[in-house]
Amino acid sequence: MKSVTILGATGSVGESAFDLLQHEGGADAFRTVALTGGRNIARLAEMARALRAELAVTAWPDLLPDLRDALAGTQTRALAGPEGLAEAAAREADWTLSAIVGAAGLAPGLRVLERGGVLALANKETLVAAGRLVTATSARTGARLLPVDSEHSAIFQLLGHEDRAAIRHISITASGGAFRDWPLERLASATVAQASCHPNWSMGQRITIDSASMFNKALEIIEAHEFFDIPAERIRVLIHPQSIVHAMASFCDGSSTAHLGVPDMRHAIGYALNWPERRALPVETLDLASIGTLTFDRPDEGRWPALRLAREVMAAGGAAGAVFNAAKEQALDDFIAGRLRFTDMAQAVQHALESAAGQGGFARSPATLDEVLDWDRAGRRAAAAWKGRA
Ligand code: NAD
Ligand code: MG
């Protein structure tokens, strides 16, 4: 029986993973080692009961008594806080999904790699902030990283046995988010509610706003660079409003292969769950004839400065990824709280990168989690101090 752990089980990706496990037989088909969540204790306990989880963890220590109450009468042990998350990640499981949002996913994800586990990674922030550390840790322990971000799952499936030297470039697609067709001058006044509506994907609020600002795609370019060891200049972004083609690989012989599918995260999660096999999933088959038209365009970096910043981060190296991710998280917090305008986020992030460059942040890649977290804090501080704040 396959043993599984879901870090961030109560989020959008976590719910899709839970749905898949239930579909495949639930507690009779999987041994659930640990489930973690945040403030939604009722849902975490419900999932733990359904999957007969051995351990349930809330990230918030003040909610431990509530979690214990909610799990009364079950065999599930309740834990909380960073130690609880570390315990969930450290316990042996055949397959662990990291579906926590933000840099909070870093420590537990690295813990899985430390034990040489299989880590299915939805938490792109792990690779953006600590790419070199992740790669070095996996190489040392024999851990296996599997992509769950849809574009990266697509690239993974496209590259298969292909020789890396034969790749001319990789394209990942972006829907263009909520503001693709907005006139540029309107963007500054975009509200949180407007930025929180994605045209095609149903996701957590933070990644949805990151899709509108294209910071999500910026993170994904860096994620692809780190995951597949593809040079930055060979990674492209294509605006593709229908979100049917997820990625494309172009080869030296002039041919290109593309990965297509309906926008449903259960494909990428299920692919990682069953890898290296391909098994039936409760995902709709693509009907191209009824879709009719697929369109593509080049992204306008004037509209989306996040894409330019991603290129600067990859060129800089060192701790630039950690600073970039953290500054983006701070700027997003500030936008959600009404302290920054939508278009100010990129400026605050740029300021944080410049400040880190002045402190020698790009000289070498962080070699430990503590170093990554130091640069993470520096990035947040600098973004929060940006002078253009309202
Ligand atoms: P979400 O906000 O819906 O869920 C996040 C999960 O993390 C929840 O279980 C929450 O309780 C937990 N969490 C939040 N803060 C935490 C903290 N400080 N410590 C520990 N746990 C915490 O997010 P999501 O949309 O499911 O995204 C999760 C990750 O997957 C992100 O990295 C996102 O970029 C990536 N991703 C998401 C999608 C998608 O379709 N939603 C697609 C591709 C990649
Ligand atoms: Mg994606």
Side-chain angles (χ1 to χ4, degrees), residues 124 149-151 220:
K124 60 195 81 182
D149 213 344
S150 54
E151 299 78 1
E220 289 184 357

Coordinates of all heavy atoms in Angstrom, one line a residue, residues 124 149-151 220, ligand 2:
K124 N 6.2 26.1 -5.8 CA 7.3 26.6 -6.6 C 8.3 27.5 -5.9 O 9.4 27.6 -6.3 CB 6.7 27.4 -7.8 CG 5.9 28.6 -7.5 CD 5.0 29.1 -8.7 CE 3.7 28.2 -8.8 NZ 2.9 28.6 -9.9
D149 N 3.4 21.8 -10.6 CA 3.0 23.0 -11.4 C 2.6 22.5 -12.8 O 3.4 21.7 -13.4 CB 4.1 24.0 -11.4 CG 3.6 25.4 -11.3 OD1 2.4 25.6 -11.6 OD2 4.4 26.3 -11.1
S150 N 1.5 22.9 -13.3 CA 1.0 22.3 -14.6 C 2.0 22.5 -15.7 O 2.2 21.5 -16.5 CB -0.3 22.9 -15.0 OG -0.3 24.3 -15.0
E151 N 2.6 23.7 -15.8 CA 3.6 23.9 -16.9 C 4.8 23.0 -16.8 O 5.4 22.5 -17.8 CB 4.0 25.4 -17.0 CG 2.9 26.4 -17.2 CD 2.1 26.6 -15.9 OE1 2.4 26.0 -14.9 OE2 1.1 27.4 -16.0
E220 N 7.6 30.9 -12.3 CA 7.6 29.7 -13.0 C 8.8 29.6 -14.0 O 9.3 28.5 -14.3 CB 6.3 29.5 -13.8 CG 5.2 29.2 -12.8 CD 3.9 28.9 -13.5 OE1 3.8 29.0 -14.7 OE2 2.9 28.5 -12.7
Ligands
MG2 MG 1.6 27.0 -13.1

